Amino acid sequence: MNRISAVILDWAGTTVDFGSFAPTQIFVEAFRQAFDVEITLAEARVPMGLGKWQHIEALGKLPSVSARWQAKFGQPMTATDIDKIYATFMPLQIAKVVDFAAPIAGVIDTIAALRADGLKIGSCSGYPRAVMEKLVPAAAAQGYAPDCWVATDDLSVGGRPGPWMALQNVITLGVGAVSQCVKVDDAIPGIEEGINAGMWSIGLALSGNEFGATWEEYQAMSAEEIATRREHAAGKLYAAGAHYVIDTLAELPAVIAQINARLAQGERP
């Protein structure tokens, strides 16, 4: 079958949580509670898509965060420090993630259309399993339930930007070729995940981390601001290797039709 047979979707900023705010706000709070160190939402967004321990590690290496940390403690962030922030982050995230479980506009109809066309729906996340076990049923109660999901700590080899979570979806869904899979994500490590797994990778420029606005903020923006932020987000996603960049998941079926035409001509990701 020379056509797309499965899509593998990210969660926050892709299918739920417009703007990907659940994790970013909690990182800010975890740094504050664990060590009384302030980070900004913009800083918290930079490593988005990584596993959360790795995300904290990457934040500690950001020049701006590292400078404030060393000014306060006289040395770089250590693994023990990361463990303490992560231990603070986890209960906060578990408690709050259900508040960000609403499917993004268009997601439920898009999933229904994809399933009607015979596609399987996989998913994976930078969230650890303890968080996903809260998020998955909360999203299902509001109408979004993929065929399978993989958490960032489910596999011993690690998470993004490695291909392993995406490939576990391939195994679980029983897909015969990775070239028949589309990986959709709003963050750079998730795009790289799809590329590393040999899949078609599609970025989301408007609903997710790189655009970085709530639904209400987006609705209130001028056309000029939307265009500027969209262009910035799309540029970063294309630079990460995305084959296509669209605004939201609602545009995915049209892109899959384009990919099917390319597959029929013998093209591969």
Side-chain angles (χ1 to χ4, degrees):
M1 185 174 64
N2 208 16
R3 67 193 305 274
I4 296 300
S5 58
V7 297
I8 300 167
L9 307 171
D10 178 49
W11 282 75
T14 297
T15 53
V16 300
D17 186 10
F18 189 99
S20 193
F21 277 87
T24 48
Q25 292 178 336
I26 301 302
F27 282 122
V28 173
E29 186 60 31
F31 269 76
R32 182 181 296 137
Q33 287 193 20
F35 285 103
D36 195 26
V37 170
E38 295 294 327
I39 66 170
T40 67
L41 276 176
E43 289 167 337
R45 288 189 180 282
V46 174
M48 192 58 67
L50 298 176
K52 301 314 176 194
W53 195 97
Q54 292 76 17
H55 189 129
I56 295 166
E57 179 183 38
L59 282 174
K61 294 178 180 178
L62 286 181
S64 56
V65 176
S66 178
R68 293 198 295 275
W69 188 276
Q70 294 198 54
K72 187 176 182 70
F73 299 110
Q75 64 179 23
M77 185 184 292
T78 67
T80 300
D81 297 331
I82 298 169
D83 286 342
K84 183 175 179 180
I85 297 170
Y86 184 80
T88 305
F89 169 88
M90 280 296 288
L92 293 171
Q93 188 68 91
I94 290 169
K96 292 295 291 183
V97 73
V98 296
D99 295 337
F100 295 86
I104 293 168
V107 165
I108 293 174
D109 289 344
T110 299
I111 297 300
L114 295 173
R115 284 188 166 133
D117 200 31
L119 275 70
K120 299 174 181 179
I121 310 298
S123 70
C124 53
S125 176
Y127 283 135
R129 174 161 283 269
V131 176
M132 291 299 290
E133 287 175 342
K134 297 293 185 181
L135 176 58
V136 170
Q142 299 187 64
Y144 172 61
D147 299 328
C148 69
W149 57 272
V150 182
T152 195
D153 57 349
D154 280 348
L155 306 174
S156 61
V157 285
R160 298 165 180 159
W164 305 290
M165 289 195 295
L167 294 177
Q168 183 60 56
N169 273 268
V170 172
I171 294 168
T172 301
L173 296 172
V175 179
V178 292
S179 62
Q180 296 171 3
C181 295
V182 167
K183 174 71 207 307
V184 186
D185 209 294
D186 64 295
I188 288 168
I191 296 298
E192 295 172 338
E193 172 187 29
I195 296 296
N196 289 335
M199 300 173 178
W200 302 90
S201 283
I202 300 178
L204 300 181
L206 195 149
S207 67
N209 181 68
E210 299 302 338
F211 195 88
T214 66
W215 175 255
E216 293 74 20
E217 289 169 342
Y218 162 64
Q219 292 290 301
M221 282 180 190
S222 66
E224 291 77 14
E225 183 177 2
I226 291 171
T228 298
R229 293 175 73 144
R230 179 192 284 121
E231 182 178 6
H232 173 75
K236 293 183 72 172
L237 294 164
Y238 275 126
H243 297 96
Y244 298 87
V245 175
I246 57 180
D247 282 353
T248 71
L249 203 70
E251 299 172 37
L252 182 59
V255 174
I256 288 177
Q258 296 178 41
I259 295 173
N260 283 338
R262 295 175 66 177
L263 285 169
Q265 294 172 359
E267 290 190 53
R268 295 293 181 271

